Amino acid sequence: MRISVAIDGPAGAGKSTIAKLVAKRFNLMYINTGSMYRAVALAAKENNIDENKIEDLCKLIDTMDMEFRDDDLFLNGENIQDKITMPEISVIVSKYAAIKEVREKLVKLQREMSRKFDVIMDGRDIGTVVLKDSKFKFFLTATAEARAERRYKELKMRGLDVDYDTILEDIIKRDYYDSHREVDPLRKAEDAIEIDSTNLSIFEVTEKISSIIEKNL
Ligand code: DC
């Protein structure tokens, strides 16, 4: 039987860092579903397709070949990881992620990946929609301030000129948008284990998740 692990939570809760570590430990493919929504936003921006042109967006998605290699997302053979994490994509991505037709297409792709590989997926609707039947579901949280601080440090380390208050504002705005949208809003699956990472190290959260998986494999 295939293994699938779902990790949901708001932006900056540490999902991707932790998912990558757990993936290495259990030899799972790491699928960052947020990157897939970001790829759609990037391609839409480059092709001047705004969020109201749903038919054009669907056609565009059908031309997008998305593949994860060593934790990076490749779009039609090009590594787009750096492009999709830029702040200009962060500020527009929620609009595209709120579109029902876009979500249906990406959820279908994500489920196909989970049928082909042992996966750990992170996102907003993994435990509630994409991998509803998964045995391992986690919901990671942290205060908005702690999450903004982490994002700020991460972007600074990559040499980007960013400002903490702008990042905090973006995180609060996205939290609201992601958990209040009509289609598949961010929420904890009833059977997910909630972990508040505000005062926990990456190592501690990874250990917590890994030991639960180990016990139940
Ligand atoms: O995790 P992230 O910040 O890279 O996510 C980018 C956007 O995509 C964010 O607005 C939430 C949205 N998203 C979503 O709606 N569903 C997912 N499964 C993953 C991300």
Side-chain angles (χ1 to χ4, degrees):
M1 242 225 356
R2 288 249 164 261
I3 302 172
S4 66
V5 180
I7 302 192
D8 289 301
K15 299 185 299 291
S16 67
T17 311
I18 286 150
K20 280 180 202 169
L21 292 168
V22 177
K24 297 250 148 39
R25 184 107 144 219
F26 296 96
N27 204 16
L28 309 172
M29 178 185 274
Y30 167 51
I31 296 177
N32 181 333
T33 62
S35 292
M36 297 173 73
Y37 288 96
R38 284 170 181 269
V40 171
L42 173 72
K45 186 170 187 263
E46 286 179 345
N47 289 280
N48 284 320
I49 303 176
D50 72 32
E51 71 276 14
N52 302 311
K53 297 205 182 115
I54 294 180
E55 212 173 297
D56 291 350
L57 274 173
C58 288
K59 277 192 201 142
L60 177 69
I61 295 172
D62 289 340
T63 69
M64 295 172 69
D65 175 37
M66 293 188 248
E67 190 191 337
F68 285 92
R69 290 186 216 157
D70 291 332
D71 301 338
D72 283 354
L73 181 57
F74 283 69
L75 174 61
N76 301 331
E78 183 200 349
N79 186 336
I80 55 163
Q81 199 59 38
D82 281 342
K83 281 193 194 165
I84 56 174
T85 39
M86 296 295 277
E88 54 264 40
I89 298 301
S90 302
V91 295
I92 60 166
V93 59
S94 290
K95 287 189 291 193
Y96 294 97
I99 301 167
K100 184 167 117 283
E101 291 80 354
V102 168
R103 302 199 69 83
E104 280 168 0
K105 285 198 175 279
L106 294 198
V107 167
K108 188 161 169 263
L109 289 175
Q110 291 153 9
R111 286 189 179 143
E112 276 165 16
M113 289 172 176
S114 77
R115 276 194 290 271
K116 278 197 219 146
F117 308 102
D118 289 331
V119 298
I120 180 163
M121 263 185 210
D122 72 4
R124 307 295 190 285
D125 60 341
I126 311 302
T128 51
V129 178
V130 183
L131 302 176
K132 252 199 313 251
D133 299 327
S134 170
K135 201 158 91 171
F136 304 110
K137 297 183 184 178
F138 300 93
F139 193 80
L140 268 192
T141 59
T143 62
E145 289 74 15
R147 291 183 282 127
E149 174 108 28
R150 288 174 193 163
R151 222 4 72 116
Y152 172 77
K153 284 189 184 150
E154 182 191 320
L155 293 171
K156 271 276 180 205
M157 258 177 28
R158 284 174 36 200
L160 294 174
D161 181 22
V162 286
D163 150 72
Y164 170 83
D165 289 331
T166 313
I167 293 176
L168 178 61
E169 203 182 300
D170 173 51
I171 278 190
I172 292 171
K173 226 189 270 168
R174 274 204 295 152
D175 280 357
Y176 185 84
Y177 206 87
D178 291 340
S179 49
H180 286 81
R181 69 171 175 230
E182 254 173 63
V183 199
D184 306 339
L186 168 67
R187 64 179 177 84
K188 179 186 161 303
E190 267 171 34
D191 52 350
I193 295 171
E194 181 161 349
I195 301 174
D196 181 343
S197 73
T198 308
N199 298 307
L200 294 178
S201 67
I202 286 165
F203 174 75
E204 286 169 311
V205 180
T206 306
E207 281 306 304
K208 224 177 189 165
I209 292 179
S210 299
S211 71
I212 293 168
I213 297 175
E214 225 142 42
K215 262 190 233 143
N216 295 284
L217 263 185

